[in-house]
Amino acid sequence: MNKYIVFCLCLLVFFSGMVLFKNSQAADSLNTKRLSVAQVESFLEQDNPGEIQFLGAESAELFTKEVRESFKGVLQKNYKKNYKEFMPGYITASIDGRPWDDTMWSRDGGTFLRELVFWGYLNHACLLTDCLIQLVEKNDEGFYTFPEYFKKTNPGSGKELDGTAAVIIGMVHLWKRLPENNYYKNQIYQFLHQHASPLLYIHQKLLPQPLIEGSGEFGGGCGIAGDWYNVVQNNLVRLALIAGADLEKQAGNLESYEIYMNDVEKINENMLKYLVDDDSTWIWCIDPKTMLPDENIINDPINKGFGGLNGVVSMLADVTGFEPLMSNWAGVKIGQNTLEKLYSFPLRKQQFDKYGIWSQFDEFREGMSSGPSYGDGYALQAMLLLDKMDMVDKSVQWLAGATYSPIAEYHELDRDSPYYFYERYYSPDIVGKMDLEQGCGALNLVNVTEPLKVARLFVGVDDLSNNKVKIIPRVPPSWIGYNVTNWPVYTENGLVTADIRFVKKDDKIIFKLYSNGEIPQLAVRFFTQNEFKWYRWQNVSEIEFVVK
């Protein structure tokens, strides 16, 4: 009998070892540069992302379908899963032969990485991260910094830092949410902590100069040559440093934490010193030599009234939370002033009040075009974060309606689904004034990424700090609420998933939450009777109550 027991135990150990060996093989195979399509698809199928359904109005139903179908479309068309032309995890800027359909832009890839993480597509995020790390090369100064874009799978580096900063932010969020001893978690930390780290490159650049110069879209502006101190890029770099400092602090490296936080203070001080106009609004960019704006650049048609300025406020939600008005950072008020100044431009105000479109430029494209990224997208995010809910309602009704039913004269727009977000949106009043070109068209990556973020801001799960989870519903007034299922929530004990229901009914709010694990610290904010009220719980996994 004892021999039989010993024999059974040996068999158990043997088969357990085989299982562990098999699992180890599978894990190792995902760490190589060459994966089979079957391996990639099996790995990606393990993702179990969250879903959102908005309730109450036609625009709520439309926006739900547009977010869902556009996300699905990007994962099917932009996100690559084999080595036929690209590599697993590669994400193209556009699709179907449209401009830039064979490129991965660092900035857009970084922002999409952010959304993959927050929606719960962690394995998709891991492969995208691995792809970015495999492709990036050291710059002339010996640091890993990302180029403006990668052409197919040609490796490269670059000196612009808005793309690098966006990638850093996405990587840090992924690192936080991965379990200990995970291959990709270790890969991210090694990449961001090494001597050639892009974070250390930013630190080195800041030693002799007050701000970070950049070129292109977030330098002097699209198509404008030269290097400039741009307000959006510097704020994004500031946020990347905050994220990097948090990573080092959680990893126990307080020396690196202090270095990066000192850099944060330096950028903060000099943004407020040099990039604020006399009317307490943001200046788009300044000359690194004179430290003053160049009127020819500021007044270029591509920059006058550029909606990208709202990116300073909207990007705060990527790192520092969903309540910028509660922050002591002076830049929040300047961002609020900037939104109001842009809105006061007569043509933009007329168009917004009439249709809800937030024109992306004062003059360029007749001042009557926009899009879900730097135009309507950034503006809508800023409105949400600044609690301008009446403007939010008007803006999202335009965005949802214009996505599903563009103006009839927009014949060039070509897409497989009427629910796909696209690059260029036009006011009905532009007809006859210019050709209505689609540009990069449907599923242009950045024009999907930012509405995905808008959807998250409506729901309001702010888990950027693992010490306290906040839920701040910001549902447009014409909607009644939302249902969220399987939403990933980052806590001090790791990830849990939650189902959340928020409904406004008969002057009451019905709120329900059920999670598969305890949330140690939870705070929920509601807007009732013209004031905000907070409700707080400890060690909670299930909530159901009514607020009158």
Side-chain angles (χ1 to χ4, degrees), residues 102-143:
D102 60 350
T103 63
M104 175 167 63
W105 288 61
S106 299
R107 193 169 181 288
D108 300 353
T111 57
F112 191 70
L113 174 60
R114 175 195 76 205
E115 293 308 308
L116 288 173
V117 172
F118 285 130
W119 283 76
Y121 285 96
L122 296 190
N123 286 356
H124 283 76
C126 286
L127 288 192
L128 174 52
T129 295
D130 185 66
C131 178
L132 287 164
I133 291 175
Q134 297 295 341
L135 289 179
V136 70
E137 295 183 321
K138 290 181 180 179
N139 60 24
D140 293 340
E141 298 168 75
F143 293 89

Side-chain angles (χ1 to χ4, degrees), residues 328-455:
N328 59 6
W329 186 50
V332 175
K333 179 60 178 175
I334 298 165
Q336 187 172 15
N337 294 342
T338 302
L339 177 73
E340 292 168 358
K341 179 181 179 180
L342 290 170
Y343 176 59
S344 70
F345 182 69
L347 180 57
R348 181 174 294 105
K349 187 177 189 305
Q350 183 259 350
Q351 289 288 298
F352 185 81
D353 292 350
K354 187 176 181 181
Y355 299 115
I357 184 174
W358 185 277
S359 52
Q360 194 165 321
F361 315 94
D362 283 357
E363 298 176 358
F364 189 60
R365 298 196 192 123
E366 304 297 328
M368 288 185 285
S369 78
S370 193
S373 57
Y374 310 142
D376 293 306
Y378 280 179
L380 180 49
Q381 291 173 31
M383 294 168 197
L384 276 161
L385 293 167
L386 297 172
D387 289 317
K388 295 181 178 292
M389 296 307 296
D390 289 338
M391 295 182 77
V392 166
D393 207 346
K394 199 169 188 68
S395 179
V396 74
Q397 287 188 52
W398 157 263
L399 181 58
T403 298
Y404 184 69
S405 299
I407 56 178
E409 295 81 2
Y410 197 174
H411 301 300
E412 186 180 318
L413 182 61
D414 173 33
R415 53 187 178 157
D416 294 338
S417 168
Y419 299 112
Y420 284 170
F421 295 111
Y422 51 95
E423 182 194 6
R424 297 182 187 174
Y425 288 48
Y426 296 103
S427 163
D429 296 341
I430 205 172
V431 177
K433 295 181 173 64
M434 64 172 289
D435 293 334
L436 306 185
E437 300 173 338
Q438 70 170 344
C440 294
L443 299 185
N444 176 241
L445 185 62
V446 69
N447 288 286
V448 175
T449 294
E450 298 308 330
L452 294 179
K453 179 180 168 185
V454 168

Side-chain angles (χ1 to χ4, degrees), residues 209-210 213 226-229 274 286-294:
Q209 60 193 51
E213 75 276 7
D227 292 330
W228 306 84
Y229 288 151
Y274 295 110
I286 58 174
D287 187 327
K289 296 176 182 176
T290 67
M291 300 303 290
L292 295 171
D294 182 324

